[in-house]
Amino acid sequence: MKKVGIARSACLALFVGLAGCATGPGGGSIYVPVGGEDRGQAPEPPRADIPDDQQERVWRKSEQPVVSKPKPDDTRSPSYSESGDQLPAAAQALVRDAEQRLRQSDPAGAIARLERAQRIAPRSSEVYFKLAEAYVAGDNLGAAEQFTLKGLSVAGSDERMQRSGWLLLADIRRARGNVPGADQADARASAL
């Protein structure tokens, strides 16, 4: 019996507390419909008693003044998009090892070496073209075509690498049976 009385008292206290929260200080609803009685404007935020000339302006990110960046010197070296990256010595050694493995009919070993070289020189078209050759030797022409395209994208303005990449792509596409694609790649190589 005592437990029921405590439970009822707790429920009553909860109900009264929630009912008090449902009304505003004037006892009315806090909801004011559009076009209702309360059409007053929101009050202005308080102002500091600091003269306007001494107040520091707070800028929003969208209101930040544009600051021009200094222009780079014209004496800089060309970026990878203007010419292909030169291979570091470690990558060159891996490429030579991969070429030897390809001569020994070990395309999987060559691919492993060339993937390491690619991690060392990720912007070297030579590594991508060698990877494509290794995938051709491993009879994975789809991957070979993708690596050739990646090599072409990083070859930059190096015409020799561009030409060899387009010729490699033509051979791969011809082997895949894509004769029109091979003809397009041959035309791109001839145009260089």
Side-chain angles (χ1 to χ4, degrees), residues 38-116:
D38 188 15
R39 292 186 182 197
Q41 302 249 328
E44 280 193 43
R47 296 189 177 262
D49 291 335
I50 302 172
D52 287 340
D53 60 337
Q54 293 179 357
Q55 285 186 355
E56 183 178 320
R57 171 137 187 207
V58 177
W59 295 89
R60 291 187 183 116
K61 186 162 182 109
S62 62
E63 296 174 337
Q64 290 289 325
V66 178
V67 178
S68 62
K69 295 179 181 176
K71 294 182 181 179
D73 294 336
D74 289 338
T75 59
R76 65 177 177 80
S77 63
S79 70
Y80 76 91
S81 62
E82 295 165 356
S83 66
D85 270 357
Q86 298 298 318
L87 279 179
Q92 286 177 352
L94 288 166
V95 168
R96 283 193 301 272
D97 187 29
E99 288 171 342
Q100 182 180 0
R101 288 179 184 272
L102 282 174
R103 284 191 295 271
Q104 297 170 349
S105 299
D106 181 16
I111 290 169
R113 297 306 184 277
L114 290 167
E115 286 175 344
R116 285 178 56 200

